[in-house]
C-alpha cells in the first residue's frame, strides 16, 4: 500500500492507496458513509460501506468531526461524477486526531471572524485557490526576470532613510539608532543596477498606512526591477511586456483555481500588448469629463483610479505626473520642468495602481537639491549620492505590488485575502 497525494490519485486506478489528510465534510446513510478527505493537494470522496470494514470502524466514521485528522486506505476507482474524476472505496480508516468543534463551518461567516481565524481559514477551497494563484504569479515573475538577464539582488529590510516619503514610516530602535522598515528596495536596486546592469529584488515592504482601504496593507510584497541606461520609454516597454507575460502565464497555468473563484477570465485574456499610454494631463481630462474634481498637481487616489480603469479593457499606463506629488528621486522631464518622468500602471476593473516607477534623477546637484527640498536628512543619503559621483548614467525601474496583482487576477475585492497572513491597520494577529 502506498501513501498518495490526492492530486496524483489518477495514476492509481484499481490500486490500493492511503491518503493522509483531514475530514473536510461528510454525509451518511445507514449502510454507508461518504467522507470528503482533503490533504492539501485536493479533496477526494471516500466511500465506506458497512460491509467492507469492521463494525467499530464503521461506527467511528459516523462520529468523525470536521477537520479531524485521518488516514484512509482503499482502492481507487474512476468516478465521472466526482469533481476530480475518482473516488476511494475504503478498507481502513485510522483516526490520527479527533478535532474539537471546528469554528469555521459550511455556513456563512463574517469577514472579521474569518480574519481572526485566518490560520484555519487557509484550509478552505477559495483560499487555496487564491494562494495557489499567488504562488504561480510569484513563479512567473521570477521566471520572467531570471530569463531576461536580471540578477536577483536582495534589498535590506532595516533602512536608515525613507524612500517613499516620511509620513508612513515604521520606526524601530536599532541599538539606540533610528531605523525604518523598508518602504521599497529601489534605492538599493539603483546601486545594484550600476554594479550589474539589470537587477531586481523581491521582498516584503512596509508602510504605516493609516487609512483603511481595500488596496492597502501595512506589509506587502513588491518586485522591483532596475536597469542602467534605461529611460522612461524603456521602462514602460518593460512594464508592459512583463505584466502581459505574467498574467497570460498565470491564466494558462491556474485555470482550475480561477474557475473555483468564478473569475471571468475573458477579462484577463484581453491583457495583451500594447497597453494604452496616456499622460497625466490626459488622465485628468478623462476624470473631468466624468465629473470628478481633481486639481492639476494632485495625485490620484482609489476613486480616480477606478474611474480611469473603466475606460480601458486592459491595464492603462499613465506617465508624467506633476513633480510635486511624486517622490524626491524622480527625474524631471527636460521638456517640461513641472512634470516628472514617472509612470503608474492602473489595473482594469477597479483593482487600482499595480505599478509605480520611472526614470531616476541622475544629476548630483539636482538630486542634492531635491533631498533638501523634501526635508530629508542628507547624511542618510550620502551613499545614494555616491551613485551620482562615480559613473552616473540614466536609469529607470519600477515596483509591482504582488497583492493588488493577485487581487486583480483572482477578482478578489480586498487585498486582505491575497496574502497568507495579512497585516493591516488594526490587524496584527494571527
Ligand atoms: O508606487 P509605489 O509607492 O512605488 C515605489 O515604492 C517605488 N519605489 C518602486 C520602484 O520604482 N522601484 O509602490 C509600488 C507598488 C504600487 O503600485 C502598489 O501596487 C504597491 O506597490 N503598493 C501597495 N500594495 C499594498 N499595500 C500598500 N500599502 C501599497 N503601497 C504600494
Ligand atoms: Mg505609487
Amino acid at each position: 500500500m502506498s501513501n498518495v497525494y490526492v492530486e496524483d490519485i489518477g495514476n492509481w486506478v484499481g490500486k490500493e492507496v492511503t491518503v493522509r489528510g483531514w475530514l473536510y465534510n461528510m454525509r451518511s446513510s445507514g449502510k454507508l458513509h461518504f467522507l470528503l478527505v482533503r490533504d492539501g493537494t485536493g479533496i477526494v470522496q471516500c466511500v465506506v460501506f458497512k460491509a467492507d470494514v469492521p463494525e467499530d470502524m464503521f461506527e467511528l466514521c459516523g462520529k468523525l468531526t470536521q477537520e479531524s485528522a485521518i488516514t484512509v486506505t482503499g482502492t481507487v476507482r474512476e468516478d465521472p461524477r466526482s469533481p476530480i474524476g475518482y473516488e476511494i472505496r475504503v478498507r481502513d480508516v485510522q483516526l490520527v486526531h479527533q478535532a474539537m468543534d471546528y469554528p469555521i463551518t459550511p455556513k456563512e461567516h463574517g469577514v472579521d471572524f474569518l480574519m481572526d481565524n485566518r490560520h484555519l481559514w487557509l484550509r478552505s477551497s477559495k483560499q487555496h485557490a487564491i494562494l495557489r494563484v499567488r504562488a504561480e504569479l510569484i513563479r512567473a515573475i521570477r521566471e520572467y526576470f531570471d530569463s531576461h538577464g536580471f540578477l536577483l539582488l536582495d534589498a535590506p529590510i532595516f533602512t536608515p532613510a525613507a524612500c517613499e516619503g516620511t509620513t508612513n514610516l515604521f520606526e524601530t530602535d536599532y541599538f539606540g539608532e533610528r531605523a525604518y522598515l523598508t518602504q521599497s528596495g529601489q534605492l538599493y536596486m539603483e546601486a545594484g543596477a550600476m554594479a550589474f546592469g539589470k537587477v531586481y529584488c523581491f521582498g516584503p515592504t512596509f508602510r504605516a498606512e493609516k487609512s483603511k482601504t481595500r488596496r492597502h496593507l501595512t506589509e506587502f510584497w513588491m518586485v522591483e526591477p532596475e536597469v542602467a541606461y534605461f529611460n522612461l520609454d524603456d521602462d514602460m516597454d518593460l512594464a508592459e511586456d512583463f505584466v502581459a507575460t505574467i498574467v497570460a502565464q498565470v491564466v494558462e497555468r491556474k485555470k482550475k483555481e480561477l474557475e473555483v473563484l468564478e473569475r471571468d477570465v475573458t477579462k484577463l485574456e484581453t491583457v495583451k500588448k500594447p497597453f494604452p499610454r496616456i499622460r497625466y494631463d490626459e488622465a485628468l481630462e478623462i476624470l473631468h469629463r466624468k465629473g470628478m474634481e481633481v486639481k492639476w498637481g494632485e495625485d490620484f487616489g482609489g476613486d480616480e483610479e477606478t474611474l480611469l480603469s473603466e475606460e480601458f479593457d486592459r491595464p492603462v499606463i499613465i506617465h508624467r505626473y506633476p513633480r510635486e506629488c511624486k517622490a524626491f528621486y524622480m527625474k524631471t522631464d527636460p521638456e517640461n520642468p513641472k512634470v516628472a518622468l514617472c509612470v503608474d500602471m492602473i489595473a482594469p476593473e477597479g483593482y487600482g495602481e499595480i505599478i509605480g516607477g520611472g526614470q531616476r534623477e541622475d544629476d548630483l546637484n539636482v538630486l542634492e537639491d531635491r533631498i533638501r527640498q523634501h526635508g530629508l536628512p542628507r547624511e542618510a543619503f550620502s551613499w545614494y549620492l555616491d551613485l551620482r559621483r562615480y559613473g552616473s548614467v540614466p536609469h529607470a525601474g519600477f515596483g509591482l505590488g504582488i497583492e493588488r496583482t493577485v487581487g486583480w487576477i483572482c477578482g478578489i475585492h480586498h487585498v486582505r485575502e491575497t496574502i497568507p497572513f495579512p497585516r493591516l491597520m488594526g490587524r496584527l494577529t494571527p
Side-chain angles (χ1 to χ4, degrees):
M1 141 200 106
S2 307
N3 291 321
V4 164
Y5 284 106
V6 173
E7 65 180 353
D8 300 325
I9 215 150
N11 302 325
W12 294 85
V13 176
K15 303 206 178 81
E16 187 165 278
V17 300
T18 297
V19 169
R20 301 175 294 178
W22 297 264
L23 185 73
Y24 193 68
N25 209 341
M26 69 175 277
R27 64 199 161 82
S28 299
S29 70
K31 291 201 175 67
L32 165 101
H33 300 300
F34 294 102
L35 311 181
L36 285 181
V37 178
R38 63 165 197 90
D39 74 345
T41 72
I43 298 173
V44 63
Q45 174 163 282
C46 303
V47 193
V48 191
F49 285 96
K50 195 169 185 177
D52 287 354
V53 296
E55 204 172 312
D56 54 340
M57 192 178 286
F58 189 79
E59 230 167 81
L60 169 92
C61 288
K63 292 186 190 137
L64 287 174
T65 50
Q66 192 189 345
E67 286 303 318
S68 285
I70 52 174
T71 66
V72 176
T73 302
T75 308
V76 178
R77 309 192 316 184
E78 280 188 87
D79 174 18
R81 288 161 308 174
S82 135
I84 61 164
Y86 307 95
E87 64 170 26
I88 294 176
R89 180 152 175 175
V90 177
R91 178 177 66 75
D92 182 69
V93 177
Q94 295 297 321
L95 178 63
V96 180
H97 179 251
Q98 175 91 0
M100 298 172 207
D101 294 332
Y102 187 66
I104 303 177
T105 55
K107 70 164 201 206
E108 287 276 311
H109 295 285
V111 74
D112 280 335
F113 175 83
L114 290 169
M115 273 295 157
D116 287 342
N117 287 286
R118 183 66 175 166
H119 51 298
L120 304 175
W121 192 20
L122 294 180
R123 303 179 186 192
S124 79
S125 299
K126 185 180 163 200
Q127 299 308 313
H128 262 223
I130 298 170
L131 294 174
R132 285 184 189 283
V133 167
R134 179 186 171 102
E136 192 64 51
L137 175 70
I138 292 170
R139 192 203 317 271
I141 287 171
R142 299 280 302 265
E143 274 176 19
Y144 183 90
F145 289 120
D146 291 344
S147 67
H148 283 73
F150 286 74
L151 181 76
L152 174 67
L153 199 71
D154 301 311
I157 304 290
F158 286 126
T159 61
C163 177
E164 295 298 325
T166 49
T167 54
N168 61 13
L169 284 169
F170 276 114
E171 198 178 307
T172 64
D173 174 14
Y174 195 78
F175 306 111
E177 230 184 292
R178 212 182 296 181
Y180 309 103
L181 298 185
T182 184
Q183 297 167 306
S184 157
Q186 178 198 319
L187 307 185
Y188 298 94
M189 289 309 100
E190 290 184 56
M194 299 308 134
F196 297 96
K198 289 157 86 169
V199 293
Y200 75 102
C201 63
F202 176 59
T205 48
F206 306 87
R207 302 201 189 167
E209 305 280 5
K210 288 178 197 82
S211 57
K212 294 185 180 171
T213 82
R214 69 186 183 98
R215 296 181 178 132
H216 289 92
L217 294 159
T218 55
E219 179 179 306
F220 62 97
W221 286 66
M222 187 156 48
V223 60
E224 298 180 84
E226 190 75 26
V227 187
Y229 291 102
F230 252 33
N231 64 22
L232 181 64
D233 286 333
D234 300 325
D235 202 34
M236 292 196 279
D237 291 346
L238 176 66
E240 178 186 73
D241 187 61
F242 167 62
V243 170
T245 305
I246 59 175
V247 170
Q249 214 161 88
V250 174
V251 170
E252 166 69 28
R253 294 184 190 167
K254 284 287 161 258
K255 290 201 175 82
K256 226 174 50 196
E257 284 74 8
L258 294 171
E259 218 176 281
V260 169
L261 296 168
E262 295 174 14
R263 179 64 166 127
D264 178 0
V265 289
T266 60
K267 295 234 162 70
L268 297 170
E269 281 157 3
T270 53
V271 182
K272 297 207 166 80
K273 296 199 290 183
F275 297 174
R277 288 185 195 185
I278 60 174
R279 287 170 178 262
Y280 171 89
D281 288 4
E282 294 168 76
L284 209 59
E285 274 170 35
I286 295 174
L287 291 172
H288 288 164
R289 175 154 50 76
K290 295 186 141 223
M292 196 111 185
E293 293 281 331
V294 194
K295 283 199 220 56
W296 196 94
E298 285 170 5
D299 203 354
F300 301 144
D303 294 341
E304 287 83 5
E305 288 164 11
T306 299
L307 270 186
L308 287 166
S309 74
E310 286 170 4
E311 298 284 295
F312 308 98
D313 68 347
R314 62 197 73 194
V316 54
I317 293 173
I318 306 177
H319 54 94
R320 292 179 168 81
Y321 285 66
R323 219 180 66 160
E324 63 214 66
C325 68
K326 291 290 177 184
F328 76 96
Y329 52 73
M330 304 268 188
K331 188 167 179 65
T332 303
D333 185 353
E335 283 167 21
N336 178 2
K338 291 176 108 164
V339 303
L341 293 178
C342 64
V343 58
D344 279 2
M345 188 185 288
I346 314 287
E349 303 171 78
Y351 289 97
E353 180 203 315
I354 50 170
I355 278 183
Q359 192 174 334
R360 324 303 188 185
E361 184 51 69
D362 47 42
D363 181 275
L364 178 64
N365 293 323
V366 177
L367 191 56
E368 277 181 324
D369 282 349
R370 302 283 295 159
I371 288 171
R372 202 173 314 119
Q373 285 157 12
H374 278 250
L376 296 167
R378 195 179 178 285
E379 326 74 67
F381 289 94
S382 72
W383 69 267
Y384 183 64
L385 289 165
D386 268 356
L387 304 174
R388 279 72 180 167
R389 285 192 185 100
Y390 307 113
S392 187
V393 299
H395 61 288
F398 62 80
L400 170 108
I402 301 299
E403 289 74 18
R404 290 190 193 171
T405 310
V406 173
W408 164 42
I409 293 175
C410 291
I412 296 294
H413 185 73
H414 198 297
V415 286
R416 66 188 159 213
E417 283 183 57
T418 64
I419 183 165
F421 295 99
R423 295 290 172 254
L424 301 145
M425 189 185 165
R427 174 155 308 277
L428 190 58
T429 46

